[in-house]
Amino acid sequence: MAYSDKVIEHYENPRNVGSFDKDDPNVGTGLVGAPACGDVMKLQLKINDQGIIEDAKFKTFGCGSAIASSSLATEWVKGMSIDQAMGIKNTQIVEELNLPPVKIHCSVLAEDAIKGAIADYKAKRQNAAAQVAAPSAPQKAAGGATQKATT
Amino acid sequence: MTLKLPIYMDNHATTPVDPRVVEAMLPYFTEIFGNAASRSHSFGWTAEKAVELARDQVGALIGASGKEIVWTSGATESDNLAIKGAAEFHKDRGNHIITAQTEHKAVLDTCKRLEKEGFDVTYLPVEHDGRVNPATVRAAMTDKTILVSIMLANNEIGTVNPIEEIGAVVKERGAIFHVDAVQGVGKIPFDVNAARVDLASLSAHKMYGPKGIGALYVRRKPRVRITAQIDGGGHERGMRSGTLNVPSIVGFGKAAELSRTEMASEAKRLFALRERLREGIQSRVTDTYINGSMEHRLPGNLNISFAYVEGEGMLMGLKDVAVSSGSACTSASLEPSYVLRAVGVEEEMAHTSIRFGLGRFNTEEEVDYVIDLVVGKVNKLREISPLYEMAQQGIDLKSIQWAAH
Ligand SMILES: Cc1ncc(COP(=O)(O)O)c(C=O)c1O
């Protein structure tokens, strides 16, 4: 299969590879895909108190298109607000990277990873707020919030 | 270094035509262009003579007589002719066919079509080492079994079946024994009499001959009957009509002769190269797994999984090296290799497999270059693999609830 120049470029020089501390309250982590399907993406966002994405990192197990999609996603989200990042559509990634039809699922995963990371971040914030309001609140409440955010 | 890139290491897919084969073929395009079926002039006679020599050359490679060779357009056609032809001819004796889950699509899809026409097909599982156990063949055979089709060597994992034992089992019940011998012939010894084979599919382009020419061995003693699938002028004793492709047949004959005379030394050389490749990689990369038997394997084959590194991502990194992957992404379907699945390789590991197929023209320098490249790329891709990171942190990847397909 022939890859577009942009996919090759991202594959050869992936942007923002790495990890943040997933327990940092300002970090949201999205982990999507499955090893059995041949793609797993981990995308992490560092979000400041103003809700701006200051930094992003990724690691991806997958084909060149999956690596390029996640690399591109980290590039795009930097400097965006949470709402702007939530608005990123997989079709934009498809267009930018010239992905063929069989690779569209890679762009869908990248979109899901962004949304997953933001949901994780929001859940953490809600959890922290709940802890401040009622320090003895059981952990369960936090679990509920996470689930709500991810659905 | 005088290495020429890209390097071809996908010799199970096809092989380059040996220059000695090309040389043998050339006159048959121009000076000796006659139709081998023309009986009334010397153009036809000389063409026919060349075709008959090639028949003997191909036959000699498998311990057969040239009279038992039927020319086809390739092994896909040979498999179709053998299986459909035997099923159709012998359907009054029974409707049961046995094959294995790891066979080539040319066999599997032919059997699937016969199922639609009312035949019963048993797709035997294989052992974890990739081989068909003769005992499972015996257990599957019934009074209705008319045909058993088992390959000599597998095109993905290079495993070699115990074909002589299987042949003996098939003959206990008197069924017809077809062997897709494409990947093994010319690489390892194969004798149609020792293995009691009735029908065998061969293809020239897997043994340094041209593409688009193949053969079906059809036993004469005792005579094995099949129904022709292509009707016309009655060529090839009525089993396969169509004007013979004389230059390609001449090339196939020459390729078979070269394989026969050079097989022993070539196998030794390829085995050494393959072991150099395997050791070179495994001594420098952790968490690799060989798919299929190491003991019963074609000398030039290495099928290896690199945990935490997806196969197609890996192929992209090896862009100066032609190899292939059992990962889903290399095909239009999203399923990983059915061969690896049948061998019991888990889906996540199937996605990380790479097939190296060494051949006549590969060199030690190429192998060393590929080792360095593979080691570098695996390390780089593991650096960006979330699975590798998790494994390093001691997280059991199986304990995670991954999203469904
Ligand atoms: C085991 C096996 N059988 C059959 C075939 C089909 O051969 P051909 O390309 O000559 O049709 C191949 C090659 O792809 C093969 O590897």
Side-chain angles (χ1 to χ4, degrees):
Chain A
M1 190 178 317
Y3 296 96
S4 72
D5 291 345
K6 281 180 180 159
V7 168
I8 294 170
E9 212 279 311
H10 274 279
Y11 174 86
E12 280 175 355
N13 307 293
R15 328 285 200 263
N16 310 307
V17 172
S19 298
F20 297 128
D21 174 8
K22 68 178 187 335
D23 297 324
D24 180 334
N26 287 97
V27 169
T29 302
L31 182 66
V32 296
C37 307
D39 315 91
V40 175
M41 284 181 194
K42 188 187 79 165
L43 195 138
Q44 292 186 302
L45 305 176
K46 190 171 256 179
I47 301 171
N48 68 19
D49 294 338
Q50 285 71 50
I52 302 297
I53 298 168
E54 282 187 333
D55 206 354
K57 290 218 180 291
F58 86 96
K59 285 201 174 190
T60 289
F61 164 85
C63 63
S65 304
I67 291 169
S69 295
S70 37
S71 170
L72 178 67
T74 59
E75 240 185 354
W76 275 357
V77 294
K78 274 203 218 180
M80 279 188 176
S81 69
I82 286 178
D83 286 345
Q84 284 172 323
M86 285 298 283
I88 292 176
K89 291 269 164 300
N90 82 291
T91 48
Q92 296 169 284
I93 296 172
V94 170
E95 213 168 289
E96 174 68 18
L97 294 177
N98 253 319
L99 297 181
V102 292
K103 295 298 178 186
I104 287 174
H105 71 277
C106 299
S107 68
V108 173
L109 272 183
E111 182 189 322
D112 289 351
I114 297 172
K115 297 208 156 87
I118 290 172
D120 179 57
Y121 169 78
K122 283 185 174 168
K124 268 186 183 169
R125 300 295 277 197
Q126 277 181 29
N127 185 9
Q131 299 248 337
V132 171
S136 61
Q139 283 300 107
K140 237 182 158 177
T146 308
Q147 268 172 16
K148 196 161 173 228
T150 47
T151 45
Chain B
M1 198 150 54
T2 55
L3 206 61
K4 213 171 123 242
L5 297 178
I7 294 168
Y8 188 74
M9 277 196 192
D10 200 14
N11 285 280
H12 298 295
T14 193
T15 56
V17 181
D18 191 303
R20 294 169 290 182
V21 170
V22 177
E23 203 186 325
M25 290 170 69
L26 285 177
Y28 292 89
F29 289 102
T30 50
E31 298 124 62
I32 319 172
F33 60 86
N35 185 327
S38 296
R39 292 285 143 83
S40 53
H41 48 68
S42 67
F43 294 85
W45 302 332
T46 42
E48 191 193 12
K49 205 169 138 217
V51 166
E52 295 314 308
L53 170 65
R55 252 188 241 287
D56 290 341
Q57 289 169 321
V58 171
L61 181 60
I62 59 172
S65 145
K67 295 191 181 73
E68 297 172 301
I69 299 299
V70 172
W71 302 116
T72 66
S73 64
T76 299
E77 186 190 331
S78 301
D79 287 341
N80 272 266
L81 174 57
I83 296 169
K84 289 175 184 164
E88 194 176 332
F89 194 92
H90 299 280
K91 62 174 183 284
D92 294 338
R93 280 173 47 205
N95 70 338
H96 183 224
I97 297 168
I98 296 172
T99 186
Q101 292 170 1
T102 49
E103 293 291 316
H104 192 269
K105 287 283 182 192
V107 167
L108 293 177
D109 287 0
T110 299
C111 287
K112 286 207 186 101
R113 182 179 295 270
L114 289 175
E115 276 184 294
K116 288 199 195 105
E117 291 170 13
F119 287 90
D120 276 338
V121 181
T122 301
Y123 300 91
L124 294 176
V126 297
E127 303 290 315
H128 281 316
D129 69 357
R131 304 171 80 217
V132 174
N133 183 339
T136 65
V137 178
R138 180 182 287 117
M141 293 195 52
T142 72
D143 294 341
K144 295 239 157 60
T145 308
I146 49 172
L147 174 69
V148 177
S149 177
I150 301 289
M151 71 199 330
L152 174 59
N154 185 270
N155 44 300
E156 283 189 37
I157 52 180
T159 48
V160 179
N161 278 320
I163 218 72
E164 292 184 13
E165 284 96 314
I166 294 169
V169 166
V170 174
K171 288 300 147 189
E172 286 168 12
R173 291 270 201 161
I176 293 171
F177 188 28
H178 168 244
V179 174
D180 177 336
V182 170
Q183 293 287 343
V185 159
K187 319 271 174 1
I188 53 170
F190 173 66
D191 184 293
V192 290
N193 294 314
R196 306 180 68 178
V197 173
D198 297 306
L199 302 164
S201 303
L202 315 177
S203 185
H205 75 100
K206 310 284 186 177
M207 43 193 272
Y208 313 96
K211 293 167 186 56
I213 186 76
L216 182 67
Y217 158 79
V218 183
R219 178 174 289 281
R220 275 167 63 104
K221 285 185 196 135
R223 185 168 173 215
V224 172
R225 308 287 301 269
I226 53 174
T227 304
Q229 302 296 306
I230 294 181
D231 297 312
H235 308 75
E236 301 299 281
R237 292 176 286 130
M239 280 185 271
R240 204 284 194 177
S241 290
T243 297
L244 294 177
N245 178 352
V246 178
S248 291
I249 289 168
V250 168
F252 192 0
K254 183 69 184 176
E257 184 190 272
L258 293 173
S259 285
R260 186 173 57 81
T261 53
E262 296 173 7
M263 179 164 16
S265 59
E266 187 162 290
K268 220 167 116 193
R269 195 184 75 86
L270 286 180
F271 180 83
L273 277 187
R274 197 273 309 285
E275 284 303 288
R276 187 184 183 92
L277 178 64
R278 184 183 66 74
E279 283 166 14
I281 291 172
Q282 290 198 307
S283 65
R284 290 165 63 189
V285 181
T286 59
D287 300 301
T288 62
Y289 303 89
I290 305 284
N291 299 309
S293 167
M294 216 43 230
E295 189 187 341
H296 303 282
R297 180 183 284 265
L298 294 175
N301 175 282
L302 182 66
N303 189 307
I304 182 168
S305 285
F306 297 94
Y308 322 119
V309 176
E310 197 276 333
E312 194 190 340
M314 181 76 179
L315 291 189
M316 200 168 161
L318 304 179
K319 67 173 189 311
D320 287 331
V321 182
V323 291
S324 72
S325 169
S327 161
C329 295
T330 52
S331 62
S333 83
L334 288 175
E335 295 298 311
S337 149
Y338 66 90
V339 172
L340 294 178
R341 299 289 293 131
V343 177
V345 176
E346 289 185 63
E347 271 182 324
E348 49 257 57
M349 288 308 285
H351 280 291
T352 69
S353 77
I354 300 287
R355 176 186 73 178
F356 298 89
L358 294 161
R360 183 174 292 168
F361 302 105
N362 287 123
T363 64
E364 233 171 55
E365 291 72 43
E366 288 178 335
V367 166
D368 291 345
Y369 177 89
V370 169
I371 293 168
D372 284 341
L373 190 67
V374 165
V375 171
K377 291 298 170 186
V378 171
N379 288 337
K380 182 175 175 218
L381 289 168
R382 282 185 176 170
E383 262 328 292
I384 73 168
S385 167
L387 304 180
Y388 185 66
E389 182 182 65
M390 291 159 102
Q392 294 303 102
Q393 291 164 353
I395 297 169
D396 177 8
L397 296 177
K398 293 209 167 54
S399 72
I400 294 177
Q401 279 249 298
W402 300 101
H405 269 284

